[in-house]
Structure formats: structure tokens, C-alpha cells
Amino acid sequence: MQRFIRFGARKIDFVLQCTTRRSLTIQVRPDGMVVVNAPNSFPEDKILEKVKLKAPWILKQQEYFSRFPVPLSPRRFVSGETHLYLGRQHKLKVVKATERMIKVYRGQLWVYSDDTSPTVVKAIIGSWQKERANAVFRELFEAWLPRIKRYWKETPRLVIRKMSGRWGSCTGKGSIILNLELIKASKSCIEYVIVHELCHLVHHNHTRQFFKLLEKLLPDWRKRKQRLEDRLA
Ligand SMILES: [Zn+2]
């Protein structure tokens, strides 16, 4: 249940969960989300009062966490929250339906499903992201192949999978691996990662020659890299 309190000029939103425990606990997550676990027997005004008393501590915690970049805030897969797709936030709309499918329409991500529980919605979005990543990454990748041919004769292979801590990599055997998470970035940023990795086919390390080639193929690569880091890192 979503609740909020006002503390001076500040509004503190929190998620209220009922527990069978006897005491009330307040937790501030690294993404700033506040979770209050309250015993079933607690009346709501008492809960709000308790949260209000803890408001200075909550704000201090949120302030502390806000100094660190949050990799990807945990999603709850419910209507109203936003999901990044191709560099844009899309508002999630979960609709009960007989068939499972996803539609992107006017900045909204519509998920139709017979089962609208977060676990199922998460799985539907997950497989849709894989499908989209496959189509979008492959199209951009293939468009760049003729341009890299001058520098590297063989045909590289594209692999898409989940990776942690990096957007892409290039193996010595000529495979370019792209992080599935890149589907959240704009096409221009995805393209930057692809070209960066393609340049690694020719120059394995970040040498002067590497950057010279990258600059030649994608003169505005710095801007794209910056945008990728600002949005997703
Ligand atoms: Zn690199």
C-alpha cells in the first residue's frame, strides 16, 4: 500500500506492509524507496505518527544514498511505474486479457496478460526485451559490418546476453558481446557500444590507434558515451 506523510515542506512516500511481527520497522533502500513494516494491529494514524517521528532520519538516509549512482532501481512491475526502453521512460500499464502480449504506444508500455501478478509481468517484459534487443542490436550491428570490413576481413558474430559491469565486450575469436540491458538505452548509445566493440576487433586495447579508428568511424562518440553513462550508469 502506498502512503505518505508531510514533514515541513517535504513529502515522504512510503510502501506500507503489514507483518505479524510485534514492532514497527522502517527501511530506506538504496534507491531511496521507504518501506514500513507494521504489525497488523497498528492503527493507521499511529503508523503515520511513527513515520513522522522518524522523518529526519529517513531524509538523512535518502540524502546519503542519493550521493551514489543507483545502477538500476528495482522495479515492481505494477501499473504506473516507469520502464526505460530505447532511451525513453515508458509508463507501464498492466491490463488483464486472454492473450499475453506487449504494445508500445505513445510512451506507454502496455502489458496484456491473463495473469497480472508482478512475477508474470516481469517474465513477459523480460522475454519481450530479449526479442527487441535481438532485433534492434542486430539491425544496427549489420548496418556497421560493411564499414568495418576495410579494417577487419572476417565477419564478426553477435552475441546478446546479460552482463554485469560492462556494456559490451569483444572476444579474441571475433565475437561481439552486447549487454541485454542496452535495450534501455537510445539507439544512438547502442550504436556507440557496437562501434566501440567493432574497433576492438582491430585494436584490442584502448591505444591511440583504437581511439583514432573510433573517432574516424563515429566522430561524436564522446557525446554518445556521456549520454549512456548519464542515463544508465
Ligand atoms: Zn573498450
Side-chain angles (χ1 to χ4, degrees), residues 15 20 62 77 98-99 136 173 208:
V15 175
T20 49
Q62 285 180 328
F77 301 96
T98 47
E99 225 181 308
V136 175
K173 288 178 181 158
R208 259 188 52 211

Side-chain angles (χ1 to χ4, degrees), residues 7-20:
F7 182 73
R10 309 283 294 267
K11 177 175 175 246
I12 300 176
D13 289 295
F14 63 93
V15 175
L16 178 61
Q17 292 173 344
C18 289
T19 68
T20 49

Side-chain angles (χ1 to χ4, degrees), residues 146-165:
R147 300 195 58 188
I148 203 76
K149 199 114 205 151
R150 281 177 54 195
Y151 310 94
W152 207 72
K153 298 285 168 248
E154 290 160 65
T155 304
R157 215 166 62 90
L158 177 66
V159 179
I160 301 161
R161 62 173 169 83
K162 274 202 171 146
M163 299 169 95
S164 62

Side-chain angles (χ1 to χ4, degrees), residues 68 119 125 137 191 195:
F68 308 103
T119 335
I125 292 176
F137 298 0
E191 193 171 32
V195 179

Side-chain angles (χ1 to χ4, degrees), residues 33-124:
M33 188 168 134
V34 182
V35 181
V36 176
N37 280 294
N40 291 317
S41 57
F42 262 49
E44 187 145 334
D45 55 338
K46 200 174 165 189
I47 296 169
L48 296 178
E49 195 184 300
K50 286 241 176 198
V51 176
K52 216 163 195 167
L53 274 172
K54 283 289 240 177
W57 175 83
I58 293 170
L59 293 172
K60 220 173 99 189
Q61 291 296 102
Q62 285 180 328
E63 222 264 0
Y64 171 76
F65 285 127
S66 72
R67 280 185 258 150
F68 308 103
V70 178
L72 293 161
S73 57
R75 305 278 82 175
R76 294 186 303 124
F77 301 96
V78 292
S79 283
E81 69 180 5
T82 55
H83 285 254
L84 269 173
Y85 170 59
L86 293 180
R88 286 189 171 183
Q89 291 287 2
H90 288 71
K91 201 162 236 177
L92 178 62
K93 303 264 182 184
V94 181
V95 184
K96 193 130 184 128
T98 47
E99 225 181 308
R100 291 185 182 183
M101 62 174 173
I102 287 197
K103 273 185 189 165
V104 178
Y105 179 70
R106 291 192 175 174
Q108 293 171 333
L109 185 64
W110 293 76
V111 176
Y112 298 87
S113 175
D114 52 328
D115 183 343
T116 55
S117 63
T119 335
V120 172
V121 172
K122 184 183 179 180
I124 295 172

Side-chain angles (χ1 to χ4, degrees), residues 196-197 200 204 206 210:
H196 180 116
E197 298 308 333
H200 274 314
H204 297 304
H206 292 143
F210 168 84

Side-chain angles (χ1 to χ4, degrees), residues 85-86 104 127-139 160 180 183 187:
Y85 170 59
L86 293 180
V104 178
S127 56
W128 170 77
Q129 283 174 330
K130 258 185 220 162
E131 212 179 275
R132 294 310 304 150
N134 219 332
V136 175
F137 298 0
R138 204 160 292 280
E139 194 190 331
I160 301 161
L180 180 59
I183 196 62
K187 280 191 182 179

